[in-house]
Amino acid sequence: MSKEAFFISEFSSQHIGDDGAVVGDFVYSKDLFCEDIHFKRSWMSLTQIAQKSMLVNLSDAIAMNAKPKWILIGIVMPKHFTYEQLRELSTGFQNVARAYGAEIIGGDTTAGDKLMISITIIAKRPSKVLYRSGAKVGDLVAFTGTLGRSYHELTRLLRGGHVGKDSRFMKPQLKADFLYKAAKHLHAGMDISDGLSKDLSRLLKASGNLGLHVKRKMSKRILCSGEEYEMLFSFDARKKKSIERIAKQTRTPITIVGKTVRKQYVCHCKEHHF
Amino acid sequence: MSKEAFFISEFSSQHIGDDGAVVGDFVYSKDLFCEDIHFKRSWMSLTQIAQKSMLVNLSDAIAMNAKPKWILIGIVMPKHFTYEQLRELSTGFQNVARAYGAEIIGGDTTAGDKLMISITIIAKRPSKVLYRSGAKVGDLVAFTGTLGRSYHELTRLLRGGHVGKDSRFMKPQLKADFLYKAAKHLHAGMDISDGLSKDLSRLLKASGNLGLHVKRKMSKRILCSGEEYEMLFSFDARKKKSIERIAKQTRTPITIVGKTVRKQYVCHCKEHHF
């Protein structure tokens, strides 16, 4: 068991284990975004950092088919930050929050050596919540967009290289339109943050230790690329046409990975979490 | 304007400015608790750190007369932490959450150099929310407990000294019983986190730039001691007897600081925030 899994297992709440916690009328999610862990200051502007921290958090709510409403932000930031730098950060937060119709309602700031951002998203509980655990035997499993680019870009950045302005790593392209429209046909859903293989193993495990009959062989680069923030989902094979229609309507490429079976799935990627 | 105030002013939400944000049926609050900013590892056990991080957050909800229901925890922690150390942390979180009838429903963990804890409290909105802005001219202003000990203990710790197990700095004593019972008689409320003088200035400013006719002269130690987590509140002078009765019932010492007047109050303590 990873230390993260152990720590989480210490809290025996029925709400833990999905992208967000569903309680009452809301879905709550909270993610950390930290300098020298999730990003290096030299890679991105402060506005880009704020944007990405917000996007990866919104992704959790969207993956559960919930509409983000309110946002709390906690920031640890270096004392020497200028007012101009604070404005760059707030611009990034505001731009993304507005684009998704959510309001920043509070938070906390404190001084520290490194920039760390903790975001809490409060999203409206939808009539149909998409859990990881909803997949059924015989479901088709698919993902949105293309995978592998984020890994490629991260490798380049780690080697001291640069990436373009439309970089996936810098600004994930959430597939909210597709997800909200398709949700009524879906059985299970989550976002791909730790790589297709790892996240797929979570979805299948949560759905009663299912396995996958893989339709097409995929490269390690595609299977293990983290921080993609594409959507991973399963649905009844008979809904394939409807899903493909919505994908076309929302201009969202989708790729069917395979069909769920009773056998247990094993992930062969390296753990991203410590 | 402090950088924190500037950063907050960038977000023009009507919900910002109190201990928590009141939206819909809930009161949301979020505070950071960071190594080498709010505590040093050598001062406290991990269980004490987890407990205090939780208490200072619960204090925000209680100060608004809201009952904490659900909790999200984000933690950055050193990679070398053992399972035993993780358990020490989770014990601290659980003990306090249970004592206040709240449930930990989710969060995020990540690895980093220093321990940082970000907590989000989701509290039930009470029929009467206590805001900072509710004080009226002629109100009596009072605080619970005694002030100055936390400052004294912090000074000792910073000089390399030790403090006892019942230390205020290590484990703030929240005055939830008193606050919940007294709330119906109160006009304004908040907790004392940055020192009586500083927090009093916030309460008076939020209540339409009021001033204070000080009843008793207090030492700088009492006025400027931060991290006390006692309650600061105002009420109609005619309710003095009722307040004193509840204080007696709940064994909560209270001290009346003075009476609000139209003149503006000025705080003379050093800023705690950067």
Side-chain angles (χ1 to χ4, degrees), chain A residues 25-29 61 66-70 121-125:
Chain A
D25 295 332
F26 295 95
V27 177
Y28 300 100
S29 52
K67 296 249 165 63
K69 291 272 287 176
W70 299 299
I121 305 282
I122 301 149
K124 191 91 193 65
R125 181 189 188 141

Side-chain angles (χ1 to χ4, degrees), chain A residues 1-8 10-17 20-26 28-34 37-38 70 72-91 93-94 98 103-114 116 118-122 273-274, chain B residues 1-8 10-17 20-26 28-34 37-38 70 72-91 93-94 98 103-114 116 118-122 273-274:
Chain A
M1 200 192 298
S2 75
K3 285 186 189 166
E4 179 172 50
F6 171 80
F7 191 71
I8 291 167
E10 289 282 289
F11 305 99
S12 57
S13 169
Q14 50 156 333
H15 305 293
I16 291 176
V22 185
V23 278
D25 295 332
F26 295 95
Y28 300 100
S29 52
K30 184 184 178 102
D31 261 340
L32 297 157
F33 195 65
C34 308
I37 302 166
H38 301 100
W70 299 299
L72 297 159
I73 305 177
I75 309 188
V76 181
M77 54 183 147
K79 255 196 175 118
H80 58 71
F81 265 28
T82 61
Y83 287 87
E84 190 46 42
Q85 287 177 302
L86 298 185
R87 183 159 285 147
E88 282 176 44
L89 277 173
S90 70
T91 301
F93 291 128
Q94 293 279 33
R98 276 193 202 125
E103 187 187 353
I104 296 161
I105 57 167
D108 188 27
T109 67
T110 191
D113 300 333
K114 289 179 182 179
M116 303 220 177
S118 160
I119 291 183
T120 304
I121 305 282
I122 301 149
H273 283 278
F274 72 106
Chain B
M1 199 193 298
S2 75
K3 285 188 190 167
E4 181 173 49
F6 172 79
F7 191 70
I8 291 167
E10 289 282 287
F11 305 100
S12 56
S13 170
Q14 51 156 332
H15 305 294
I16 292 175
V22 185
V23 277
D25 295 333
F26 295 96
Y28 300 100
S29 52
K30 183 184 179 101
D31 260 341
L32 297 157
F33 196 63
C34 308
I37 301 166
H38 301 101
W70 300 299
L72 297 160
I73 305 177
I75 309 187
V76 180
M77 55 182 147
K79 255 194 174 113
H80 59 72
F81 265 29
T82 62
Y83 286 88
E84 189 47 43
Q85 287 177 302
L86 297 186
R87 182 159 286 147
E88 282 175 45
L89 276 173
S90 70
T91 302
F93 291 128
Q94 292 279 33
R98 276 192 201 124
E103 186 187 355
I104 296 161
I105 57 166
D108 187 27
T109 68
T110 193
D113 301 333
K114 290 180 181 178
M116 302 221 178
S118 160
I119 292 183
T120 304
I121 306 281
I122 301 151
H273 283 277
F274 74 105

Side-chain angles (χ1 to χ4, degrees), chain B residues 141-161:
Chain B
V141 175
F143 62 84
T144 58
T146 51
L147 297 178
R149 228 179 101 186
S150 186
Y151 175 79
H152 180 69
E153 289 171 353
L154 178 59
T155 309
R156 209 190 299 168
L157 287 166
L158 285 168
R159 284 181 186 148

